[in-house]
């Protein structure tokens, strides 16, 4: 019998869902190499490979057979071929702009454990999709808002979430699409570098984000009385500021976010929140091309009355801080810990922290590849973002259902 690949689900699965992989029809205890490949929207190749040995019955089930040393990973890792995907081009970040089209996985089985692939024994393709059947994608151009609303299937009302990305130009829909798959009406909100929004802002206005909150609360399929906010990095900082100054914010989840304003001033009515100063002397040069930016921002807790610090004591919302202990861009674990100490000292208990070892600044939902070195948005140099392959994957897999449970509880 010719070897064959068996996948479950067979042909399509949601990107954040597990994928069962097995190979049948091999010789007893046959040595093979499995290679997973994916090309992103810009044509760049991501790959992972692992060495295996079939069982006495000629079957290889990744849920029961450990990978042998010599590949991208080793040990019992049923999803290893997905979480270990890495770009062939150095420092390349996988981004999904068009969530209406899938990523296509190519899985190949080669004979032997040589340094170069042996005879091709079997191959298969599988689509990893971003939208569950029935989820609606609605472009939003209301007033100043530039966004995309994702609505779960059906005509019911759903808990509403606004998703805000980090300090990168454009509109990012992947996290919002996944939340809609899980039953949340989710608005992916751009705030610069998109359509007629400022290309390079010198300041941001909280009124813009307030307009997005009001849009969600007035939508007939958003269940009130409040909305949730999910933000990454600078986006998390904006979410925390919204919770401190705006009404009808019920729950906020932040991924590796500062608790002080960074990058550009934030204006609201007659108030201006200045950005946290930076200290260039703290930047370490690793080599001619790469820097370690840890410590770039001054400590917002060391200067009493620091005007950049977000007044979180004003927030009525529940706060969830998700932080990587190896975050080199922002000392997010320190920021979250110190902020929660201040809240506790004021008798507040509306906070929790999920802290993950071996996890850097970049933090996407499950099975998006690790991005440990990337372009610094302010310094415009290659910078260490932090993180290690397997701990980062474990953090993704643990944090994603925690975020959903948090919003289900409070929305």
């Amino acid at each position: 019998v010719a070897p064959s690949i068996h996948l479950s689900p067979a042909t399509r699965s949601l990107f954040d869902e597990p994928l069962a992989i097995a190979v049948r029809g091999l010789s007893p205890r046959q040595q093979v190499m499995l290679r997973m490949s994916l090309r992103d929207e810009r044509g760049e190749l991501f790959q992972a490979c692992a060495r295996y040995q079939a069982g006495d019955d000629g079957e290889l089930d990744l849920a029961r057979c450990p990978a042998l040393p010599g590949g991208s990973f080793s040990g019992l890792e049923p999803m290893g071929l997905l979480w270990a995907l890495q770009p062939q081009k150095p420092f390349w970040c996988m981004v999904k702009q068009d969530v209406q089209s899938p990523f296509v996985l190519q899985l190949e089985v080669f004979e032997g454990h040589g340094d170069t692939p042996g005879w091709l024994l079997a191959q298969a393709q599988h689509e990893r999709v971003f939208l569950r059947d029935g989820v609606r994608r609605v472009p939003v151009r209301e007033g100043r808002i530039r966004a995309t609303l994702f609505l779960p299937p059906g005509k019911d009302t759903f808990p509403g979430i606004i998703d805000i990305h980090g300090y990168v130009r454009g509109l990012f829909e992947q996290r919002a699409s996944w939340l809609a798959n899980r039953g949340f009406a989710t608005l992916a909100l751009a705030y610069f570098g998109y359509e007629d929004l400022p290309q390079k802002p010198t300041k941001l206005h909280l009124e813009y984000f307030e307009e997005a909150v009001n849009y969600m609360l007035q939508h007939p399929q958003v269940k009130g009385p409040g909305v949730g906010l999910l933000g990454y990095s600078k986006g998390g900082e904006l979410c925390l500021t919204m919770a401190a100054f705006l009404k009808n914010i019920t729950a906020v989840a932040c991924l590796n976010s500062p608790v002080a304003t960074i990058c550009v001033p934030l204006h609201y009515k007659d108030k201006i929140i200045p950005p946290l100063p930076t200290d260039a002397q703290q930047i370490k040069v690793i080599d001619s091309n790469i820097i370690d930016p840890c410590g770039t921002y001054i400590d917002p807790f060391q200067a009493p009355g620091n005007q950049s610090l977000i007044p979180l004591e004003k927030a009525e919302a529940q706060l969830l801080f998700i932080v990587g202990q190896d975050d080199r861009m922002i000392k997010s674990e320190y920021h979250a810990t110190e902020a929660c100490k201040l809240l506790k000292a004021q008798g507040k208990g509306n906070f929790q922290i999920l802290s993950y070892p071996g996890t850097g600044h970049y933090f996407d939902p499950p099975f998006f590849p690790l991005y440990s070195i990337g372009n610094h948005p302010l310094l415009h140099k290659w910078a260490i973002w932090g993180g290690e392959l397997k701990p980062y994957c474990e953090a993704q897999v643990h944090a994603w259902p925690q975020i959903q449970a948090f919003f289900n509880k409070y929305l």
Side-chain angles (χ1 to χ4, degrees), residues 99-139:
V99 297
Q100 297 176 97
S101 67
F103 273 141
V104 179
L105 296 175
Q106 177 84 23
L107 180 59
E108 299 163 296
V109 182
F110 298 97
E111 191 172 36
H113 286 171
D115 292 334
T116 56
W119 189 259
L120 178 64
L121 301 174
Q123 58 183 328
Q125 283 193 344
H126 184 85
E127 291 185 344
R128 297 285 272 176
V129 301
F130 287 75
L131 290 177
R132 189 185 296 278
D133 289 346
V135 172
R136 286 159 292 159
R137 178 186 176 275
V138 184

Side-chain angles (χ1 to χ4, degrees), residues 119-182:
W119 189 259
L120 178 64
L121 301 174
Q123 58 183 328
Q125 283 193 344
H126 184 85
E127 291 185 344
R128 297 285 272 176
V129 301
F130 287 75
L131 290 177
R132 189 185 296 278
D133 289 346
V135 172
R136 286 159 292 159
R137 178 186 176 275
V138 184
V140 178
R141 306 293 180 269
E142 294 276 341
R144 292 175 295 177
I145 303 170
R146 301 294 174 262
T148 303
L149 178 64
F150 291 90
L151 291 168
K155 297 182 178 179
D156 297 335
T157 59
F158 306 100
I161 297 173
I162 299 173
D163 178 61
I164 306 178
H165 204 267
Y167 197 66
V168 180
R169 64 179 64 243
L171 177 61
F172 296 86
E173 300 182 352
Q174 61 199 41
R175 216 169 32 223
S177 69
W178 288 341
L179 285 168
N181 293 336
R182 306 300 179 194

Side-chain angles (χ1 to χ4, degrees), residues 270-329:
D270 57 352
K271 185 175 180 61
I272 300 174
I273 306 174
L276 198 62
T278 57
D279 183 357
Q281 293 183 337
Q282 297 297 319
I283 300 170
K284 302 181 184 71
V285 178
I286 305 300
D287 62 28
S288 57
N289 294 318
I290 303 173
I291 61 170
D292 182 349
C294 190
T296 301
Y297 297 102
I298 70 159
D299 188 337
F301 300 97
Q302 292 302 313
N306 189 308
Q307 295 299 302
S308 302
L309 202 61
I310 300 167
L312 288 179
E313 67 279 0
K314 294 182 178 180
E316 299 295 327
Q318 293 291 323
L319 308 175
L320 172 62
F321 297 92
I322 297 167
V323 296
Q325 293 177 13
D326 191 33
D327 184 351
R328 310 301 295 174
M329 294 286 282

Side-chain angles (χ1 to χ4, degrees), residues 194-208:
Y194 182 73
E195 294 187 353
D196 56 352
L197 295 173
Q199 290 302 303
K200 193 174 180 183
T202 55
K203 59 185 176 181
L204 292 171
H205 291 272
L206 201 59
E207 285 86 350
Y208 174 79

